[in-house]
Amino acid sequence: MLQKNRVILIHGLHQTAWIMRPLAKRLQMAGFNTHQYGYRSMRDGIKTNSARLNSWLEQNHQPDEPIDLVGHSLGGLIIRDFVAQYPKWQIGRCVTLGTPHVGSVCADYIWRLTPAIVGRSYIDALDGTVATLPNHITLGVIAGNRPYGLGQMFLQYHNRKQRKSDKPLLKEQLAHDGTVYIEETKIEAAADHIVMPVSHTGMLVDKQVAAQTCYFLQHGHFEHETLNR
């Protein structure tokens, strides 16, 4: 049996490392060695947080040993910045969960109304200006389509505006997980992309999301056959 890479799990905005514990335990049951990276999503910007991840790895991991990265929401953008800024690390595969790769409409509204709620995580990250994904990175993207979450008030308002516009978006373009639109999770450089019946936070405790994450880390693509069962 091939030895699996160490998996670094990175939480999202307003969260702490413990929220990744259910996913970490399922990855461990599949034979992965995991670490839940904690950072200050409000106080520090994306550059600082990816630099601290680099420092942690320098103290706890050998550069010649590959690692996999799994990030939820803002955590996926930290992955984007980290792999672009610190190319010395051997990156196996990456999975992002509900990450707004092209920027977040919800964060845009909050930034305009009460910027303190998103803190320093907006600039260079949630504003859609995060670093370009390097060509050698194999990225899998999981999105959710259950519209339940703290951001749904802003997204419902935005959807109503879109429907009344001169060029309304299609129904599928307005689908979201309660915080992030499915369209916002798409990135052309990704190796694979799937949509699952989960909400933005619910995906962290969902068994099938964990199973798809494991599958991608092992194979470089998702198990699409199981999505239609």
Side-chain angles (χ1 to χ4, degrees), residues 97-150:
L97 313 172
T99 293
H101 285 288
V102 297
S104 167
V105 166
C106 186
D108 289 343
Y109 278 110
I110 296 172
W111 179 258
R112 291 197 295 266
L113 292 172
T114 315
I117 294 179
V118 289
R120 295 186 178 179
S121 291
Y122 184 76
I123 304 299
D124 295 328
L126 296 172
D127 62 354
T129 62
V130 70
T132 301
L133 188 74
N135 292 330
H136 69 281
I137 299 298
T138 303
L139 172 67
V141 176
I142 298 178
N145 63 6
R146 293 195 66 189
Y148 306 111
L150 297 176

Side-chain angles (χ1 to χ4, degrees), residues 44-176:
D44 298 322
I46 190 171
K47 302 294 183 184
T48 298
N49 288 319
S50 60
R52 284 180 176 155
L53 173 57
N54 178 66
S55 296
W56 183 88
L57 286 168
E58 287 180 334
Q59 297 174 23
N60 296 278
H61 194 80
Q62 296 298 321
D64 59 348
E65 297 177 1
I67 56 173
D68 294 331
L69 299 166
V70 176
H72 175 240
S73 196
L74 176 64
L77 300 181
I78 289 179
I79 290 175
R80 293 265 306 275
D81 186 81
F82 173 77
V83 297
Q85 300 296 329
Y86 303 99
K88 73 175 182 180
W89 299 103
Q90 291 192 46
I91 308 300
R93 291 168 180 145
C94 304
V95 176
T96 59
L97 313 172
T99 293
H101 285 288
V102 297
S104 167
V105 166
C106 186
D108 289 343
Y109 278 110
I110 296 172
W111 179 258
R112 291 197 295 266
L113 292 172
T114 315
I117 294 179
V118 289
R120 295 186 178 179
S121 291
Y122 184 76
I123 304 299
D124 295 328
L126 296 172
D127 62 354
T129 62
V130 70
T132 301
L133 188 74
N135 292 330
H136 69 281
I137 299 298
T138 303
L139 172 67
V141 176
I142 298 178
N145 63 6
R146 293 195 66 189
Y148 306 111
L150 297 176
Q152 62 182 318
M153 177 180 68
F154 295 105
L155 300 187
Q156 287 171 356
Y157 169 76
H158 187 72
N159 284 3
R160 288 195 297 270
K161 283 182 60 179
Q162 286 296 325
R163 293 188 186 102
K164 294 177 181 178
S165 67
D166 295 334
K167 296 181 179 180
L169 297 175
L170 299 174
K171 183 178 179 180
E172 55 266 28
Q173 294 176 302
L174 299 177
H176 58 84

Side-chain angles (χ1 to χ4, degrees), residues 10-11 13 24 32 34 41 46 53 74 99 173 188 214 216 226:
I10 308 175
H11 64 81
L13 182 67
F32 289 96
T34 69
S41 63
I46 190 171
L53 173 57
L74 176 64
T99 293
Q173 294 176 302
E188 188 174 344
C214 287
F216 187 92
T226 64

Side-chain angles (χ1 to χ4, degrees), residues 93-95 138-142 190-194 211-225:
R93 291 168 180 145
C94 304
V95 176
T138 303
L139 172 67
V141 176
I142 298 178
D192 206 352
H193 182 284
I194 56 172
Q212 290 286 356
T213 299
C214 287
Y215 196 89
F216 187 92
L217 293 179
Q218 292 173 302
H219 302 282
H221 60 86
F222 294 114
E223 193 175 14
H224 289 263
E225 294 79 6

